[in-house]
Amino acid sequence: MATPAGDNDSIQNGSALKRIHFQEEGHRSGYIPRGIIPVDDIGNVEPAGYAPGEKELRCKLAALYRLVDHLGWSQSVFNHITVKVSEDDHHFLLNPFGLLYHEITASSLIKVDVQGNMIDKGSTYFGVNIPGFVLHSAVHSARPDAKCVIHIHHASCIAVASMKCGFLPVSQEAVLVGNVSYHDFYGVLVDRAERETIIKNLGNNHIMFLRNHGLVVAGRTVEEAFTRAYHTVLACEAQVTMMSAGLENLIIVSEEAKQRSMEVVRRAQEMIEDGALKEKAGQQQPSAAGDVDTKEKKAPQVRWNLGDLEFEAYMRMMDNAGYRTGYPYRLPSFKRPTEN
């Protein structure tokens, strides 16, 4: 890999190598060099018109667009990821139609309501992609728990969405993501009347395959939606690989095994939400004089929800590469203090 003139010394540093690797890693379709564009371009003060906490959501959503691009799930300027900003006003953020995913920043995101009214144009001259609005407004309006909605056209997801057999329980990932829905293809999503069909077909599930089209994933948080999408993509990739052996040669996970697995997931999530997996206070530590210190050294008390650990790890990777995500870390330092 060619290096910029005068930059040879910095390349010897491991972090510099990491930065270059991250910014120049290409899509599955080929090598696409990208410069580093910081995500958080808003500053420390939230602009007038932002809802409480909107700046944080903007940074998180823009960082997710970069992460989706890094994983090779993006398709030029198309597809969408949205986040609901206001429950009362039903406002949500989405990408301006015309930016590549690695160009999206916190300030460039557009804010609309479910009726299609422009609330905030963002910092670019680009507008809203109509198919994106139709799909995401349908999910956000019908599902209060769908705070974040991810729509991708990943090749393996399109392949599974186009199979008569549908999404098969042939991998652990496929089992753990839970039940899925299907929505038939009626053409490019531009008819707002189709929103009612989308809502009906999605039902209470968090994942829906758009036949001959792609994948829709919903989550209560950005982190949850990303993690659910990640495992669904893995499951689709595994299924597409397996299908070369013929459907008759695939071992389908039994219904009993599926139910046992889902029960494990349910119990684990309940424990996480109840705080049972939080790190408790540490044991008494000896003082410098060798005596036992009466004050306990408490470990960080962190509440992890579904997807938080994975997403935070990726945000560390991006920030280490110089992308300045603006992500509010639950655990700013995961290293235990060195004991002398």
Side-chain angles (χ1 to χ4, degrees):
M1 176 176 62
T3 58
D7 201 33
N8 291 329
D9 291 339
S10 66
I11 298 304
Q12 303 306 316
N13 183 279
S15 61
L17 284 171
K18 196 182 300 180
R19 287 196 296 273
I20 290 174
H21 172 73
F22 184 83
Q23 75 184 64
E24 294 188 348
E25 186 167 329
H27 288 279
R28 295 177 181 275
S29 58
Y31 169 82
I32 304 176
R34 307 172 184 75
I36 293 178
I37 303 174
V39 170
D40 184 1
D41 62 344
I42 294 177
N44 295 326
V45 180
E46 294 201 14
Y50 276 20
E54 182 173 332
K55 176 183 180 293
E56 179 182 316
L57 276 177
R58 282 176 171 269
C59 289
K60 195 177 291 187
L61 178 57
L64 177 56
Y65 273 102
R66 308 297 187 89
L67 181 54
V68 165
D69 186 62
H70 173 67
L71 292 171
W73 300 352
S74 60
Q75 183 190 17
S76 185
V77 300
F78 303 101
N79 305 153
H80 313 275
I81 311 171
T82 56
V83 170
K84 187 182 291 186
V85 176
S86 170
E87 192 66 50
D88 295 332
D89 300 323
H90 298 291
H91 295 165
F92 62 92
L93 302 170
L94 77 164
N95 52 316
F97 185 46
L99 290 185
L100 294 169
Y101 277 25
H102 79 277
E103 297 179 300
I104 294 172
T105 66
S107 71
S108 67
L109 292 165
I110 291 173
K111 182 163 61 174
V112 298
D113 64 18
V114 292
Q115 283 76 41
N117 299 310
M118 181 75 73
I119 307 301
D120 187 327
K121 296 179 180 179
S123 58
T124 76
Y125 290 109
F126 296 118
V128 175
N129 178 252
I130 297 302
F133 168 77
V134 171
L135 174 62
H136 290 258
S137 63
V139 179
H140 283 303
S141 63
R143 292 282 297 274
D145 61 322
K147 305 293 185 183
C148 179
V149 179
I150 299 173
H151 173 49
I152 56 175
H153 286 185
H154 189 272
S156 65
C157 299
I158 297 174
V160 170
S162 305
M163 293 177 182
K164 290 182 178 180
C165 62
F167 186 62
L168 297 175
V170 289
S171 65
Q172 178 170 275
E173 286 75 19
V175 170
L176 296 183
V177 298
N179 297 325
V180 304
S181 301
Y182 299 92
H183 177 72
D184 287 338
F185 185 72
Y186 300 103
V188 177
L189 265 172
V190 292
D191 185 358
R192 299 193 181 194
E194 194 174 339
R195 290 196 294 183
E196 295 303 318
T197 309
I198 292 171
I199 294 169
K200 179 181 178 181
N201 288 339
L202 177 62
N204 294 321
N205 294 331
H206 293 92
I207 297 169
M208 183 163 69
F209 284 91
L210 307 178
R211 295 288 194 186
N212 310 101
H213 183 171
L215 178 70
V216 177
V217 179
R220 294 172 299 176
T221 63
V222 170
E223 294 89 338
E224 179 180 302
F226 166 73
T227 299
R228 191 170 280 132
Y230 181 81
H231 287 100
T232 305
V233 170
L234 284 180
C236 288
E237 290 177 338
Q239 179 173 330
V240 169
T241 301
M242 294 176 193
M243 292 296 288
S244 63
L247 184 59
E248 68 280 3
N249 289 318
L250 301 188
I251 298 174
I252 306 296
V253 175
S254 69
E255 190 61 33
E256 181 184 359
K258 285 172 59 178
Q259 293 303 321
R260 284 203 308 268
S261 299
M262 291 308 300
E263 180 62 20
V264 170
V265 172
R266 186 189 65 78
R267 289 202 309 269
Q269 183 58 28
E270 286 178 354
M271 291 176 68
I272 291 172
E273 292 176 350
D274 290 342
L277 298 185
K278 290 190 296 184
E279 189 172 7
K280 303 302 181 182
Q283 299 296 319
Q284 289 183 333
Q285 302 292 332
S287 66
D291 299 326
V292 173
D293 193 342
T294 56
K295 294 182 179 179
E296 292 182 339
K297 293 184 178 180
K298 293 186 177 180
Q301 300 290 296
V302 181
R303 187 184 186 93
W304 299 107
N305 294 314
L306 180 62
D308 289 352
L309 279 169
E310 301 96 310
F311 196 82
E312 187 152 306
Y314 275 113
M315 292 304 101
R316 287 197 304 269
M317 177 189 72
M318 292 180 68
D319 281 331
N320 287 336
Y323 282 83
R324 204 176 72 214
T325 65
Y327 183 78
Y329 292 96
R330 290 166 177 78
L331 199 62
S333 175
F334 56 87
K335 295 281 190 177
R336 291 185 181 277
T338 303
E339 297 182 9
N340 298 324

